[in-house]
Amino acid sequence: MIVFCLVTIPNIATSAPIPEYDMKAAYLYNLAMFTEWPQNASNSPTNNTVRLCILGEDSFGASLNNLSRSRNTGMKIQLSYLNDAKQADFCQILFIDKSEIKNTASVLKLLENKSILTVTDNEELFRMGLMVGMFLDKNRLIFDINYALASAAKIMISSKLLKMARHVI
């Protein structure tokens, strides 16, 4: 009995790693919490509801479903899955999947002069002109922020997030 306990306790005490897209979903929620959009923009959040849109393949699966449920913070996330970037006009956050890399230039052209926070988990897409990039580094999720692009879109990202970012451009 003692040998059994000694062998199994270390396995029980070790916590399982958080799946990658569960972590990314949590980061998207924090982006929504710590970002401010201009009040006069056509896509300004209403009733503490932020519209999170996914463009391209949905790699998140069920990870985003928990975001749309009400939390103690009062912030609500409304999920929308887009077939085309032309549908993004009322999004506050647009997550662009790597499957859209071939369309990135036209997507960014459509989003010009709109206060939509663009996010990806693909480094090449981020370098093409997105505002937030989330990346895995040794099983740790890190993120970069292109503050210049966000500011140009009149989106204010909290200093709390800026301090946590690996790189702020």
Side-chain angles (χ1 to χ4, degrees), residues 18-164:
I18 299 172
E20 175 183 353
Y21 280 92
D22 286 351
M23 288 189 303
K24 289 178 181 179
Y27 272 55
L28 287 171
Y29 184 82
N30 285 325
L31 280 169
M33 285 286 300
F34 294 103
T35 300
E36 291 181 27
W37 288 266
Q39 293 295 324
N40 60 349
S42 63
N43 69 331
S44 292
T46 55
N47 301 325
N48 290 329
T49 300
V50 172
R51 186 169 176 206
L52 167 62
C53 301
I54 309 298
L55 180 63
E57 292 178 17
D58 177 18
S59 301
F60 287 92
S63 298
L64 289 174
N65 292 338
N66 293 332
L67 288 183
S68 59
R69 295 191 186 113
S70 181
R71 295 186 179 225
N72 296 341
T73 62
M75 168 79 60
K76 295 177 192 146
I77 303 290
Q78 178 186 354
L79 288 174
S80 295
Y81 297 90
L82 308 181
N83 297 320
D84 191 314
K86 293 176 186 169
Q87 301 170 318
D89 282 347
F90 294 99
C91 301
Q92 283 83 42
I93 301 174
L94 178 63
F95 182 90
I96 303 175
D97 183 73
K98 64 182 172 264
S99 63
E100 290 294 312
I101 199 159
K102 62 189 174 298
N103 302 321
T104 303
S106 61
V107 169
L108 292 175
K109 185 73 174 158
L110 280 170
L111 299 178
E112 274 182 358
N113 303 316
K114 295 184 181 173
S115 297
I116 299 173
L117 185 70
T118 54
V119 183
T120 188
D121 60 357
N122 180 277
E123 289 193 51
E124 186 176 349
L125 273 171
F126 177 71
R127 286 191 302 271
M128 291 174 80
L130 274 67
M131 297 173 196
V132 179
M134 301 184 293
F135 316 111
L136 278 182
D137 182 30
K138 299 176 186 163
N139 292 328
R140 199 173 135 242
L141 190 61
I142 57 172
F143 63 101
D144 295 340
I145 297 175
N146 189 323
Y147 188 73
L149 288 175
S151 292
K154 298 179 178 71
I155 297 171
M156 297 306 302
I157 299 173
S158 166
S159 61
K160 292 176 184 179
L161 285 178
L162 296 174
K163 288 177 188 173
M164 293 174 51

